[in-house]
């Protein structure tokens, strides 16, 4: 007897049912089982469940079923905190819509040329998924009209509030008819979310899925204390020492994934990257290679790694301590599956210790510290594993011809031990790391910032209607750094200043150079030191 809900219990259309099957979903996740019937019944719903529990489809499925494709107007909007998420949610919707090609979904987010979005909007779309900032832009330009919207989703509502999007959300909701259905999804339910629910929802139903098992008992966890600039070498040592078959390395931002992947590949490892901006076909290729064992190391962001389902991952390395405590649990859950053992190593920079303690507290675990493996640890380990292979080769036999050549060649002036050691050394040198050129770090020496911070100049200001929340929203949204980490902001008529913690400065600089704030190029530059 099976009392669990099935997708067939939801009276779904043939098309959606088939899409769900194509996607390989066998049964609704717990949050889907709870939320879908309520949403179908037209209720306002507030739903809380940890990341990776299928919240997107929980609102996606009932929304899609409600769209009338014969009307060419926006009937649902999904607000989410970052472009990565907007893209990811739009992808999940597109997958659900493969058999309903008449329903059009459009992701809108900053950093993408606005013309493309304008063209798509003019042609008529049914579902818009985007960050509050960019949706506001479209509302101001009157390129997006919300008067026919029947459903609004606030996804990752906690993170949106964290990033200062509250006012934008409010302004957007004002333009949606009162009769709408409002759905709120969040991993956590702090008071501000409850306030939002009170303010914008009509007799909401609360559904919540408790955390399942928080840690994976089969996973052996440890951490290594390491400075940022030592991370790459430490990573190579850890990998060389443990020699994992399949490893996932997590970084906190897409940018860091790209950077690290380049360096790891340059050192000769069979590694590939996976992040939210990649096309589905690229991801499929990477995941295929990983499953087949053609790639040993996957370097990924949290968002991209969601939904990765690969057995036999024997090692997870947190190259960065995750921003969100739940991500930690989620990351290490990638290994030690199905009763197999796995290892999880977390790199902890001095600034990350509070986060580490928070993780230990939350997951009720004590994570032991281990040293950075030394070169001789690595050499010893590899020698041992090579000796094992040598023994096996001797057992297999067929060495006579080689023995004769070596005997003739050495004429007894070398001991067999010497020869063996030299062969091992040769083998090691071949596989060992070639030196890699140092990353050209930008100097942010004297920018007039508070200690530990870097002050940046931005070529946008009051004249461009820029407010502090726009700066926080843009930087946090584009780079993935926590909104709270952003320091003092000063806005003048035609320019502004913002302070960023040193450790994020180079990421923020390189990423924001290519982005916009309120549709203006940021013109970001390190600020000049203030003369006193
Ligand atoms: P959340 O928003 O809760 O963090 P997502 O909606 O991003 O989680 O879903 C995480 C992954 O799980 C996605 O790859 C999604 O396709 C997959 N997924 C969602 N629902 C199911 C299901 N019922 N069965 C299997 N996989 C699912
Ligand atoms: Mg989600």
């Amino acid at each position: 007897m099976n009392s669990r809900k099935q997708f067939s219990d939801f009276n779904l259309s043939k098309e959606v049912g088939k899409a769900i099957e194509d996607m390989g979903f066998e049964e609704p996740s717990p949050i889907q089982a709870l939320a879908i019937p309520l949403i179908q019944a037209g209720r306002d719903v507030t739903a809380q469940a940890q990341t990776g529990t299928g919240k997107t489809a929980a609102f996606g499925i009932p929304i899609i079923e409600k769209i009338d494709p014969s009307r060419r107007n926006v009937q649902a909007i999904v607000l989410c905190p970052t472009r990565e998420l907007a893209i990811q949610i739009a992808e999940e919707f597109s997958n659900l819509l493969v058999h309903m090609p008449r329903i059009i979904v459009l992701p809108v987010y900053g950093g993408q040329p606005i013309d493309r979005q304008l063209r798509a909007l003019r042609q008529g779309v049914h579902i818009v998924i985007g960050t509050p900032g960019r949706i506001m832009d479209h509302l101001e330009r009157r390129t997006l009209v919300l008067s026919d919207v029947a459903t609004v989703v606030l996804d990752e509502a906690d993170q949106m509030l964290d990033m200062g999007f509250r006012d934008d959300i409010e302004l957007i909701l004002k333009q949606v008819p009162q009769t709408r259905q409002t759905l709120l999804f969040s991993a956590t339910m702090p008071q501000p979310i409850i306030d939002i629910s009170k303010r914008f929802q009509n007799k909401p139903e609360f559904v919540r899925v408790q955390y399942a098992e928080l840690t994976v008992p089969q996973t052996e966890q440890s951490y290594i204390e390491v400075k940022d600039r030592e991370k790459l070498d430490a990573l190579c040592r850890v990998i060389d020492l443990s020699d994992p078959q399949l490893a996932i390395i997590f970084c906190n931002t897409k940018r860091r994934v790209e950077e690290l992947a380049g360096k790891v590949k340059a050192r000769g490892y069979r590694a590939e990257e996976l992040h939210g901006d990649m096309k589905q076909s690229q991801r499929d290729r990477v995941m295929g290679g990983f499953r087949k064992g053609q790639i040993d190391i996957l370097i990924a962001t949290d968002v991209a790694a969601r939904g990765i389902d690969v057995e036999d991952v024997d090692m997870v390395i947190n190259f960065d301590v995750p921003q969100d405590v739940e991500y930690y649990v989620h990351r290490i859950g990638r290994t030690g599956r199905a009763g197999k053992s796995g290892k999880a190593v977390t790199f902890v920079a001095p600034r990350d210790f509070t986060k580490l303690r928070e993780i230990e507290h939350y997951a009720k675990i004590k994570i032991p510290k281990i040293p950075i493996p030394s070169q001789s640890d690595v050499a010893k380990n590899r020698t041992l594993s090579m000796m094992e292979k040598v023994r096996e080769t001797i057992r297999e036999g067929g060495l006579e011809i080689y023995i004769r050549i070596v005997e003739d060649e050495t004429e007894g002036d070398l001991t067999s031990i010497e020869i063996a050691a030299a062969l091992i050394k040769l083998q090691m040198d071949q596989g060992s790391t070639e030196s890699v050129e140092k990353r050209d770090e930008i100097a942010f020496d004297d920018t007039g910032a508070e200690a530990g911070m870097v002050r940046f100049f931005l070529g946008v200001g009051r004249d461009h209607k820029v407010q502090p929340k726009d700066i926080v929203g843009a930087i946090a949204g584009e780079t993935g750094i926590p909104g709270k980490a952003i320091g003092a902001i000063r806005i003048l008529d035609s320019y502004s200043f913002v302070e960023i913690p040193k450790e994020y400065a180079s990421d923020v600089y390189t990423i924001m150079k290519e982005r916009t704030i309120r549709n203006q190029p940021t013109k970001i530059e390190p600020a000049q030191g203030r003369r006193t």
Side-chain angles (χ1 to χ4, degrees):
M1 202 185 84
N2 188 350
S3 61
R4 295 192 69 148
K5 269 230 153 62
Q6 299 300 312
F7 280 114
S8 55
D9 297 333
F10 297 143
N11 276 322
L12 300 177
S13 66
K14 252 199 341 276
E15 289 81 2
V16 171
K18 199 144 167 288
I20 289 172
E21 223 179 279
D22 294 348
M23 289 163 84
F25 297 2
E26 288 165 344
E27 58 176 27
S29 69
I31 196 72
Q32 291 164 358
L34 290 169
I36 291 175
L38 291 167
I39 301 173
Q40 284 178 322
R43 297 293 307 266
D44 278 4
V45 174
T46 290
Q48 179 186 8
Q50 69 190 102
T51 48
T53 51
K55 293 192 286 296
T56 316
F59 57 78
I61 291 169
I63 285 180
I64 285 167
E65 295 276 16
K66 249 172 70 174
I67 301 289
D68 176 358
S70 65
R71 291 166 52 220
R72 288 160 63 92
N73 49 11
V74 178
Q75 297 167 43
I77 56 170
V78 178
L79 302 182
C80 63
T82 63
R83 53 184 276 157
E84 249 101 24
L85 268 169
I87 294 166
Q88 207 201 348
I89 297 167
E91 258 171 26
E92 185 98 342
F93 270 71
S94 305
N95 289 335
L96 288 167
L97 285 168
V98 277
H99 303 296
M100 302 173 113
R102 289 174 64 210
I103 299 183
I104 312 294
V105 178
L106 181 71
V108 302
Y109 45 83
Q112 189 196 36
I114 200 151
D115 325 358
R116 205 182 317 155
Q117 294 171 7
L118 292 178
R119 231 173 305 132
L121 283 168
R122 261 199 307 272
Q123 282 167 9
V125 302
H126 301 104
I127 304 169
V128 170
I129 297 167
T131 50
R134 185 49 78 97
I135 289 189
M136 277 303 293
D137 285 347
H138 281 294
L139 291 175
E140 278 164 12
R141 292 165 177 251
R142 299 187 194 287
T143 43
L144 176 62
V145 178
L146 301 181
S147 55
D148 290 311
V149 166
T151 315
V152 178
V153 180
L154 308 179
D155 191 27
E156 309 268 1
D158 48 356
Q159 212 184 329
M160 283 201 286
L161 290 189
D162 220 35
M163 288 167 56
F165 282 134
R166 193 183 186 290
D167 294 351
D168 281 344
I169 292 173
E170 185 149 351
L171 288 170
I172 293 167
L173 287 175
K174 274 206 185 114
Q175 304 206 22
V176 183
Q178 286 283 340
T179 51
R180 66 167 187 259
Q181 181 178 30
T182 311
L183 308 173
L184 198 156
F185 284 77
S186 195
T188 60
M189 271 307 140
Q191 189 59 40
I193 299 284
I194 297 167
D195 295 342
I196 288 263
S197 162
K198 282 211 183 97
R199 192 155 152 62
F200 299 117
Q201 289 189 302
N202 176 21
K203 302 203 196 81
E205 279 281 352
F206 283 84
V207 293
R208 175 171 185 210
V209 174
Q210 294 283 8
Y211 300 127
E213 196 59 25
L214 263 183
T215 53
V216 183
Q218 297 288 338
T219 304
E220 177 194 325
Q221 300 163 58
S222 56
Y223 79 87
I224 293 179
E225 186 177 349
V226 62
K227 298 208 180 64
D228 251 333
R229 60 169 188 282
E230 302 165 339
K231 279 185 175 181
L232 181 62
D233 285 325
L235 177 71
C236 295
R237 296 262 178 89
V238 168
I239 290 176
D240 292 346
L241 184 69
S242 309
D243 196 19
Q245 298 293 303
L246 287 179
I248 305 183
I249 302 174
F250 283 99
C251 298
N252 284 356
T253 64
K254 185 191 106 194
R255 170 84 198 171
R256 291 196 41 96
V257 164
E258 284 175 338
E259 260 180 27
L260 182 63
K263 290 175 184 167
V264 169
K265 281 191 253 185
R267 291 192 175 205
Y269 296 94
R270 298 195 309 167
E272 282 296 339
E273 68 217 68
L274 197 68
H275 57 69
D277 275 5
M278 288 165 58
K279 287 204 215 80
Q280 191 61 43
S281 58
Q282 291 174 300
R283 287 202 215 186
D284 291 346
R285 186 183 52 74
V286 170
M287 286 311 301
F290 193 56
R291 283 203 189 88
K292 283 187 223 134
Q294 294 157 348
I295 297 167
D296 307 320
I297 300 171
L298 203 61
I299 304 176
T301 54
D302 292 283
V303 169
R306 278 183 202 172
I308 287 186
D309 189 24
V310 181
E311 301 259 308
D312 300 331
V313 170
D314 50 354
M315 182 159 216
V316 165
I317 299 173
N318 294 314
F319 196 72
D320 299 320
V321 176
Q323 230 100 74
D324 183 326
V325 184
E326 279 171 33
Y327 285 170
Y328 178 82
V329 174
H330 210 66
R331 288 180 181 184
I332 66 160
R334 298 291 170 206
T335 184
R337 284 194 176 179
K340 296 198 180 103
S341 65
K343 270 191 203 162
V345 179
T346 301
F347 285 5
V348 180
R351 64 168 185 279
D352 298 324
F353 271 93
T354 13
K355 203 87 220 175
L356 180 74
R357 299 299 165 231
E358 207 181 304
I359 290 169
E360 290 188 313
H361 176 75
Y362 167 93
K364 300 187 187 61
I365 42 168
K366 179 96 187 81
I367 306 173
K369 177 173 167 173
I370 57 167
I372 300 182
S374 68
Q375 198 67 60
S376 67
D377 289 338
V378 173
K380 185 173 159 204
N381 216 297
R382 289 177 59 188
T383 306
L384 289 176
S385 76
M386 191 176 302
M387 286 305 295
E388 191 44 52
K389 281 186 206 147
V390 166
R391 276 174 209 282
E392 210 177 291
T393 310
I394 293 173
R395 268 198 303 275
E396 279 168 9
L399 296 176
E400 294 75 12
I401 167 170
Y402 301 103
I403 291 175
R404 208 166 312 130
I405 297 172
V406 175
E407 269 173 359
D408 288 354
E409 185 53 35
T410 58
E411 294 167 339
D413 63 338
L414 298 171
T415 69
S416 43
I417 300 275
E418 277 173 329
I419 295 174
L423 284 174
I424 288 179
K425 181 166 184 293
L426 263 178
Q427 180 75 23
M428 298 272 215
D429 287 351
Q430 216 170 43
S432 88
T433 60
E434 276 104 60
S435 69
V436 168
E437 75 283 18
K438 274 235 153 65
R439 166 178 168 192
D440 33 359
E441 279 287 354
I442 313 146
F444 296 119
D445 288 337
D446 180 21
T447 61
E450 218 181 285
M453 307 287 279
V454 172
R455 197 166 66 114
F456 285 104
F457 165 92
L458 298 170
V460 294
R462 264 195 290 275
D463 295 347
H464 310 98
K465 299 209 172 68
V466 165
Q467 296 178 25
K469 62 162 199 234
D470 300 317
I471 295 179
V472 173
I475 294 178
E478 299 292 355
T479 66
I481 77 170
K484 280 178 284 206
I486 296 170
I489 292 177
R490 191 159 159 243
I491 298 185
L492 295 110
D493 286 342
S494 56
Y495 55 92
S496 320
F497 293 103
V498 58
E499 295 195 4
I500 302 292
K502 263 209 172 89
E503 64 265 29
Y504 302 127
S506 111
D507 270 3
V508 167
Y509 182 52
T510 25
I511 295 174
M512 294 312 291
K513 256 187 148 114
E514 318 270 307
R515 304 283 193 262
T516 57
I517 295 179
R518 286 222 154 227
N519 289 320
Q520 301 293 320
T522 61
K523 304 204 185 101
I524 188 167
E525 287 302 334
Q528 304 285 316
R530 281 177 272 217
R531 308 272 168 252
T532 41

